[in-house]
Amino acid sequence: MIEQHKPTTPVSQLRPIELPPEQPIDVGRYANALRRSKLLIAAIVIAVTGIVLLMSLALPKTYSADATILFDESQSLATTSTTDAERQLATIQKLLVTRDVLARSARRLPGETVASLGGKISAAVDPTANIVTITADAPTAKRAARIANVVAASFLARERAAELAGIRSAEARLQASITKLKGTPGSKAQIALIRERLSELSLSEATAGSELQLADAAVPPTRADSPRPVRNAAFAFVAALFVAMLVALGRERIAPRISDSRELERLTGYPILTEIPKARHHFRDPQAALRERDAYDALAAVVAAQLPPRRQHILMLTSPEADKAQARVTAGLSRALAQAGETALVVDADLRHPALEQLFGMEPAPGLSEILVAARQGDSDTAGEMIVEPPTSASPRRTGSLAVLGAGEAASAALVTPDALGILFAELGRSGFTCVIFNGPPFVGYPESRSWARHADAVIVVSRPDHLHPSDAIELRNQLDLVDTPVLGHVVLDGH
């Protein structure tokens, strides 16, 4: 009796493996990568195309001329089939470039040798038309045509001479046979046959070499066969464009950048306030100035709507990395707020890279750095006196104004200390400005930027997504999380 034991552990059933769904190709990312690398692509294409074009123009010209030899099967006694004809054509192609033919040709071409002709002559066969083409290359058109014709004539003369020599050798042997047969019994019939054969050979001698004929003599070409600068440059342009695009896409794979505003918003968690169009020459495109002004007006409206009602608001503009265009955005927003009725003061707090004075066309003068020096010394009165009060309007209606406080003549990030900032912001709070806008230092890698942000009511980040690595955006978010100041969002530069 066989005992059957039930398995104590369940046996798993095999299940088909489900493949992960295919990820769609992010065409937009690659398109943005190509757009960002347009200068690199243009440089590669222009450099490679230019080099190939210059090399093509510098190379010596070479002209090619063709002479055509026709092989007439009807005149060949040895050729009886298509296969034999093809074999005969292949033999002719080989014989055309033999040392004997080249030596005959060199004797008729001053300055040429067997070795030099060997590098200038080539032969090709068209078995469907029974044609052999002799191609000659030379520095001039006339020289190329002459070489091709001389080689063709030398080959035809050699072939005729070889055929005549064979016929005459056969005639000599037949004459010797007749001499031996004379006087022998029964030789009359044999001698008659031999004389008939001699008649045939005489006829063949008259038509010797007729199966090979010069069908078309070479003529001087009208243009050089090589180099062809335009053709070479066109090929180089296409190849360079392909290589440049591969380089741009490869760089995107190695060092990816944020593709667009939506990805920047997703990585940082901060909304996009507005997109400032790419700066252009306004005198060439008047509509560009209007679009830029509208973008700053829209940004000022968004900022005013998001800030709580207070007597004075303090804004700080920063960026993930050093960017001169941040000062341009700060100036544009300040003007828009002043035009909206704010009594605004714009302060250049980027003491490492001051730029506001130049943007507003101001001469270097004492500014923020001198105020911070006085504040560090505890001289709050001097610091307060250096903050110029806004002008008093005689109109009962609220009108805006804009004052600019530059970085000063002794700008240094070492001046930013907690005590000095405390005195500065206390004096600003007692001033008559309703809105103070700071052009702050970059937030990543600049410790003083957090000190400025802690005294602000809100922070606005000026960003170029196509210049940022995804890790830069994450680091920016982590740094902003270290301060309690609200972040209104991003102002995207060079938006489309």
Side-chain angles (χ1 to χ4, degrees):
M1 182 177 179
I2 301 176
E3 295 184 358
Q4 296 182 356
H5 298 278
K6 294 182 180 181
T8 56
T9 58
V11 179
S12 61
Q13 297 181 354
L14 295 177
R15 296 181 180 178
I17 298 176
E18 296 183 0
L19 297 176
E22 295 184 2
Q23 296 295 329
I25 298 176
D26 193 351
V27 178
R29 175 178 291 276
Y30 292 123
N32 288 333
L34 295 178
R35 178 177 57 81
R36 288 194 299 269
S37 304
K38 58 186 178 183
L39 294 180
L40 174 64
I41 294 174
I44 294 176
V45 171
I46 293 174
V48 173
T49 305
I51 291 173
V52 171
L53 180 61
L54 292 177
M55 291 180 61
S56 299
L57 293 173
L59 290 174
K61 293 184 178 181
T62 302
Y63 293 84
S64 295
D66 296 333
T68 305
I69 294 178
L70 174 64
F71 174 63
D72 189 356
E73 294 182 67
S74 62
Q75 301 295 329
S76 177
L77 299 177
T79 303
T80 58
S81 66
T82 302
T83 304
D84 292 336
E86 292 179 356
R87 186 181 295 112
Q88 186 73 8
L89 286 171
T91 302
I92 294 171
Q93 181 184 5
K94 296 294 184 182
L95 292 176
L96 271 168
V97 292
T98 57
R99 185 176 183 83
D100 182 39
V101 174
L102 296 180
R104 289 171 178 264
S105 303
R107 287 194 290 269
R108 297 175 56 185
L109 294 168
E112 298 290 349
T113 63
V114 174
S116 64
L117 284 178
K120 297 177 181 179
I121 293 295
S122 61
V125 171
D126 184 1
T128 60
N130 288 351
I131 286 178
V132 180
T133 302
I134 303 171
T135 302
D137 299 327
T140 64
K142 290 183 179 180
R143 186 69 173 177
R146 174 162 174 73
I147 291 176
N149 289 329
V150 168
V151 171
S154 300
F155 174 73
L156 293 176
R158 175 188 178 279
E159 291 298 300
R160 176 175 172 78
E163 190 171 345
L164 286 175
I167 293 174
R168 287 167 184 168
S169 176
E171 288 177 341
R173 289 195 300 271
L174 291 176
Q175 289 291 352
S177 298
I178 290 175
T179 302
K180 290 181 181 181
L181 289 174
K182 283 183 178 181
T184 59
S187 61
K188 186 180 292 186
Q190 294 182 8
I191 292 174
L193 291 175
I194 293 174
R195 291 187 184 280
E196 184 179 351
R197 176 59 181 159
L198 283 172
S199 299
E200 293 176 356
L201 290 177
S202 298
L203 184 62
S204 298
E205 186 176 353
T207 60
S210 59
E211 70 273 8
L212 293 175
Q213 303 173 12
L214 182 62
D216 193 6
V219 296
T222 57
R223 66 175 183 176
D225 185 68
S226 67
R228 294 185 180 178
V230 176
R231 181 193 62 182
N232 295 343
F235 288 155
F237 175 83
V238 175
L241 182 61
F242 179 73
V243 172
M245 292 175 65
L246 289 181
V247 170
L249 295 177
R251 189 174 71 166
E252 174 66 18
R253 297 284 295 179
I254 296 173
R257 294 293 185 267
I258 297 176
S259 60
D260 53 21
S261 302
R262 288 177 296 179
E263 185 177 3
L264 175 65
E265 187 175 12
R266 178 179 61 82
L267 289 173
T268 61
Y270 303 125
I272 305 299
L273 299 178
T274 188
E275 295 189 6
I276 306 297
K278 190 171 184 177
R280 301 180 184 275
H281 297 289
H282 293 163
F283 64 92
R284 295 181 183 175
D285 185 6
Q287 295 297 322
L290 181 60
R291 289 193 296 269
E292 187 173 353
R293 188 163 56 250
D294 290 343
Y296 285 123
D297 290 341
L299 176 60
V302 171
V303 170
Q306 293 197 22
L307 292 176
R310 290 180 186 172
R311 187 191 69 83
Q312 185 184 77
H313 294 106
I314 297 178
L315 292 174
M316 174 185 168
L317 275 74
T318 184
S319 57
E321 56 187 12
D323 192 343
K324 292 182 178 180
Q326 177 192 317
R328 175 169 64 92
V329 176
T330 304
L333 175 60
S334 302
R335 291 191 183 99
L337 289 171
Q339 291 172 359
E342 296 286 349
T343 305
L345 172 66
V346 57
V347 182
D348 196 349
D350 189 358
L351 300 180
R352 299 175 190 256
H353 312 97
L356 280 183
E357 289 179 337
Q358 183 179 2
L359 279 176
F360 283 97
M362 300 168 55
E363 295 294 332
L368 178 62
S369 57
E370 284 72 22
I371 295 175
L372 292 177
V373 169
R376 290 186 65 180
Q377 296 172 356
D379 190 355
S380 59
D381 294 336
T382 302
E385 291 174 359
M386 297 179 67
I387 299 175
V388 180
E389 290 291 333
T392 303
S393 175
S395 172
R397 301 175 58 187
R398 181 186 177 187
T399 58
S401 65
L402 177 61
V404 180
L405 180 62
E409 298 177 340
S412 172
L415 299 175
V416 182
T417 62
D419 294 339
L421 290 184
I423 294 175
L424 170 66
F425 281 96
E427 295 300 327
L428 287 174
R430 286 190 286 269
S431 68
F433 294 103
T434 61
C435 187
V436 181
I437 306 99
F438 281 90
N439 180 53
F443 218 85
V444 178
Y446 294 78
E448 68 272 16
S449 59
R450 291 196 294 272
S451 300
W452 289 108
R454 289 189 179 98
H455 289 275
D457 296 324
V459 173
I460 297 175
V461 182
V462 180
S463 304
R464 295 179 192 256
D466 55 356
H467 289 191
L468 291 178
H469 191 278
S471 61
D472 297 334
I474 296 174
E475 178 63 20
L476 171 66
R477 183 189 63 193
N478 294 336
Q479 293 293 328
L480 288 171
D481 289 342
L482 297 177
V483 295
D484 296 330
T485 306
V487 179
L488 298 184
H490 294 277
V491 174
V492 175
L493 277 175
D494 300 344
H496 298 274

